[in-house]
Amino acid sequence: MKLFKTAITALLALAVSLPALASETPNLDKINDRGSLRVGMSTFVPWAMRNKQGDLVGFEIDVAKRLAKDSGWKVEFVPTAWDGIIPSLLSKKFDVIIGGMSITEARSKSVLFTEPYSHSGVQLAANKDLAEGFTQLSDFDSRRVKIAARRGAFTVQVARETFPKAKVLQFDDDAQAFQEVLNGNAHAVIASSPKPEHETIKNADTLFIPFEERLSKGNEAFAVRLGETDKAEFFNAWIKARTEDGWLKERYEYWFSTLDWQDQIAQGQ
């Protein structure tokens, strides 16, 4: 129980009141006995990537390492293909998924989600010349406006719902959609964050982001197995602490709103 007491002490030191845990904590006890937290994740920029030395880096990696450190555990990463990550959790190949997984009704039937710890979503990047002076949503909701998006993606739905009067141009991938805007053939492009933010940094002479708020907001959470309420409550207390002290926001902004980390990353990611 030494590690468990260490974890509780670390959280209490942050002046955070932990939720009342059940008298028995079998799922936490297993992690404490092992002394390490096994984390299922999938590589995806900028959530988790390999640096030039081959080590894992990224937002999720920072989150998992800090969680383990605060709790008195070591951390073991278990890279897993995204389409098999929930089955791997259920077969007990790791303790928790920390991999940018959005909370959905369908997934909630298979796993138990914690409270959200990050909020990604959909954003718009616009051409500085064509959309000069555009600062409101209504500026883009015009029959004269062309908005690019990736065919079949959720972003097409967001574009049509947010800007019903605009013409939505669909392309096979995000790269083509952004190129259309860079070429001056469309006023704006809609894509999942952090693509708009990163492309705007790379092409600051041509692109800008007119809105501080994203067009659509997601909710990402840790996922554990159904019934593991002791584990979920413990993680929720940690998320609450790191949210209140601003650490999660600071790390998210570093990985999603800047490219300060780009030189660390191996090519091809």
Side-chain angles (χ1 to χ4, degrees):
M1 294 296 291
K2 183 178 180 180
L3 287 173
F4 183 62
K5 291 178 180 178
T6 301
I8 297 295
T9 301
L11 288 171
L12 287 176
L14 296 168
V16 175
S17 297
L18 286 170
L21 298 176
S23 58
E24 295 183 0
T25 56
N27 301 295
L28 282 173
D29 288 343
K30 290 177 183 177
I31 299 173
N32 287 316
D33 291 342
R34 190 192 316 127
S36 63
L37 179 69
R38 297 182 301 190
V39 177
M41 38 69 64
S42 185
T43 53
F44 187 70
V45 179
W47 303 90
M49 307 159 282
R50 296 282 180 183
N51 64 16
K52 293 177 180 178
Q53 290 72 43
D55 300 321
L56 285 166
V57 296
F59 176 62
E60 301 296 3
I61 307 305
D62 285 356
V63 169
K65 285 182 175 179
R66 180 65 187 269
L67 169 62
K69 179 182 178 181
D70 287 350
S71 305
W73 303 321
K74 295 180 180 179
V75 63
E76 299 176 34
F77 292 107
V78 185
T80 306
W82 186 251
D83 59 0
I85 201 165
I86 287 180
S88 294
L89 173 70
L90 300 183
S91 62
K92 300 185 178 181
K93 292 184 178 179
F94 37 79
D95 304 304
V96 58
I97 295 172
I98 303 179
M101 179 170 283
S102 298
I103 300 172
T104 68
E105 184 177 350
R107 288 171 178 160
S108 295
K109 295 177 181 178
S110 302
V111 300
L112 175 62
F113 282 110
T114 63
E115 294 297 316
Y117 68 102
S118 70
H119 305 278
S120 62
V122 173
Q123 184 57 288
L124 177 146
N127 182 287
K128 283 188 173 181
D129 291 332
L130 295 181
E132 183 179 2
F134 286 23
T135 59
Q136 305 293 326
L137 292 176
S138 57
D139 294 329
F140 290 90
D141 190 22
S142 166
R143 291 182 175 84
R144 298 189 300 272
V145 170
K146 296 179 181 179
I147 297 176
R150 178 164 59 89
R151 181 177 290 107
F154 173 64
T155 49
V156 174
Q157 178 182 333
V158 173
R160 287 174 171 166
E161 291 178 353
T162 310
F163 311 108
K165 295 179 182 178
K167 183 177 182 179
V168 179
L169 308 177
Q170 299 187 51
F171 298 87
D172 290 335
D173 56 44
D174 283 336
Q176 292 177 333
F178 275 89
Q179 194 59 52
E180 193 75 357
V181 179
L182 290 170
N183 291 343
N185 297 323
H187 293 73
V189 55
I190 293 180
S192 297
S193 292
K195 186 73 171 177
E197 292 87 343
H198 288 173
E199 288 299 319
T200 298
I201 294 172
K202 294 177 184 177
N203 301 280
D205 292 340
T206 307
L207 300 179
F208 76 106
I209 294 179
F211 315 122
E212 290 186 7
E213 296 293 328
R214 293 188 174 97
L215 301 183
S216 175
K217 184 178 178 180
N219 293 303
E220 292 82 39
F222 301 176
V224 297
R225 290 175 282 275
L226 293 175
E228 294 183 334
T229 54
D230 59 334
K231 192 188 294 182
E233 288 178 357
F234 186 81
F235 292 157
N236 280 337
W238 183 86
I239 291 168
K240 183 173 185 286
R242 298 281 73 84
T243 298
E244 290 180 348
D245 69 12
W247 184 86
L248 281 169
K249 180 179 180 181
E250 184 275 325
R251 287 288 82 197
Y252 186 91
E253 291 300 319
Y254 174 77
W255 290 104
F256 283 81
S257 298
T258 80
L259 286 175
D260 295 346
W261 46 266
Q262 193 173 42
D263 291 343
Q264 306 173 38
I265 308 305
Q267 294 183 355
Q269 297 188 78

